[in-house]
């Protein structure tokens, strides 16, 4: 069975009346406080063989508010038509500027073999011919919108009767109902088989969305209880193989924080500080700030990347799942100013704001931006 999937190029080959093609999507937008009717007529789809039995049309659409749509279609082996006692080809007639929109729609009206309302999955039982045309008619009310982001046409027609004795697969008129009845189940079977054949798509992070993304996150052992943003989840899943390889290492922790915040963190391991500060004049201050446990490490993240406590909690849970065994994690939020006795680092959060004069009285406190002059 052949599939014809509409992309931007195929959409633009047709005739748009009151609608537009944006990338691979047919879009209809409503004007303020006005009803609107849009029509799209396709260019012919050539099967390459005469008397082709067309099988199915499937589309996916999105709508906002109240709207009605219908799909009409016909198939033919002959593209020649007669217009005003003159013979011409149907594609030339549709592309001609000598006929108005109303004239084109009126002349084509008696060609449509069937019209289906409000359905996105259509079996084309009575469509027979080498060339296939379809029309999409959309009516919008108030400030609504409608778009078709996927359209697929399948041909030639297949039936499960080919697996039955030859009598049931013949063109006998009594077999018509049986073929149409079994076609419904054949279509369901085809969709299931397509999902099985394309199951790899469920493992591509930047393709899956919604519940499928959550399922993939669970399959890749993303820590529970974390409310991911889709963008962060996708980036994590794209790098999860490398992350799990580096789990429990300094580099792995750094990669994890960079994925979550968009910037590499500053990581300090206590043993480095304690080793270099031992028996110095600053040993007491370093011990108060970093502690005495050599198995503790600090992940320093600037405040602008952790806007609220929820993000802080999410990142901490994630780091705890990836931290080395038998170590203690300290997630430190670096405020954008210096506070003596806390984590202050030159060139990172050592910014001095505008200076103000120091006033000593019973109600004044020393603000963060105060500078002391000789």
């Amino acid at each position: 069975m052949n599939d014809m999937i509409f992309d931007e190029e195929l959409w633009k080959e047709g005739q748009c009346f009151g609608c537009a093609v944006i990338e691979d999507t047919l879009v209809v937008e409503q004007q303020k406080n006005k009803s609107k009717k849009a029509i799209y007529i396709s260019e012919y789809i050539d099967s390459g063989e005469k008397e082709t039995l067309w099988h199915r049309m499937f589309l996916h659409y999105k709508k906002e508010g109240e709207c009605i749509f219908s799909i009409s279609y016909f198939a033919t082996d002959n593209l020649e038509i007669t217009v005003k006692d003159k013979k011409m080809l149907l594609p030339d007639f549709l592309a001609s500027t000598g006929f108005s929109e109303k004239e084109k729609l009126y002349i084509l009206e008696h060609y449509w073999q069937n019209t289906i309302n409000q359905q996105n999955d259509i079996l084309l039982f009575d469509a027979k011919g080498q060339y296939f045309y379809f029309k999409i008619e959309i009516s919008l009310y108030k400030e609504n919108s409608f778009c078709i982001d996927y359209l697929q046409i399948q041909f030639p027609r297949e039936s499960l009767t080919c697996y039955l004795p030859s009598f049931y697969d013949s063109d006998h008129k009594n077999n018509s109902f049986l073929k149409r009845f079994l076609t419904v189940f054949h279509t369901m079977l085809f969709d299931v088989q397509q999902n099985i054949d394309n199951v790899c798509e469920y493992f591509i992070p930047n393709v899956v969305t919604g519940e499928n993304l959550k399922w993939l996150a669970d399959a890749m052992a993303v820590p529970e209880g974390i409310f991911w943003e889709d963008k962060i989840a996708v980036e994590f899943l794209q790098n999860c193989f490398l992350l799990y390889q580096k789990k429990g290492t300094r580099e792995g922790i750094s990669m994890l924080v960079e994925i979550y915040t968009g910037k590499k963190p500053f990581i300090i391991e206590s043993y480095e500080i304690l080793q270099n500060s031992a028996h110095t004049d600053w040993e007491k201050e370093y011990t108060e700030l970093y502690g005495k446990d050599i198995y503790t490490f600090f992940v320093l993240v600037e405040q602008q990347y952790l806007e609220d406590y929820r993000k802080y909690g999410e990142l901490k849970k994630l780091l705890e799942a990836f931290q080395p065994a038998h170590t203690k994690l300290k997630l430190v939020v670096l405020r954008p100013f210096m506070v003596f006795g806390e984590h202050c680092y030159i060139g990172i959060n050592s910014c001095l704001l505008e200076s103000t004069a120091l006033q000593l009285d019973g109600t004044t406190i020393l603000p963060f931006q105060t500078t002391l002059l000789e």
Side-chain angles (χ1 to χ4, degrees), residues 256-354:
L256 197 58
V257 177
E258 187 176 3
I259 288 172
Y260 191 84
T261 65
K263 187 177 180 181
K264 284 187 176 182
F266 306 98
I267 299 176
I268 298 175
E269 298 181 63
S270 290
Y271 83 90
E272 296 177 330
I273 302 295
L274 297 175
Q275 180 179 317
N276 295 323
S277 63
H279 309 297
T280 65
D281 296 338
W282 309 283
E283 181 178 3
K284 181 181 177 182
E285 287 76 10
Y286 279 121
T287 302
E288 289 178 354
L289 189 60
Y290 297 103
K292 296 182 179 181
D293 188 353
I294 62 172
Y295 298 107
T296 301
F297 69 97
F298 295 79
V299 179
L300 313 177
V301 180
E302 295 178 50
Q303 187 176 350
Q304 59 178 316
Y305 301 110
L306 296 177
E307 300 170 354
D308 51 42
Y309 186 77
R310 179 184 65 84
K311 284 185 171 291
Y312 177 88
E314 287 179 4
L315 181 57
K316 189 173 182 181
K317 268 191 174 183
L318 195 56
L319 290 172
E320 287 172 349
F322 279 76
Q323 74 182 66
H326 309 296
T327 61
K328 293 181 181 179
L329 164 70
K330 299 288 185 181
L331 178 58
V332 178
V333 179
L334 295 178
R335 291 184 283 182
F337 43 76
M338 291 195 306
V339 179
F340 293 115
E342 296 189 12
H343 290 271
C344 301
Y345 303 92
I346 296 175
I348 299 174
N349 66 333
S350 57
C351 178
L352 289 174
L353 305 180
E354 62 182 11

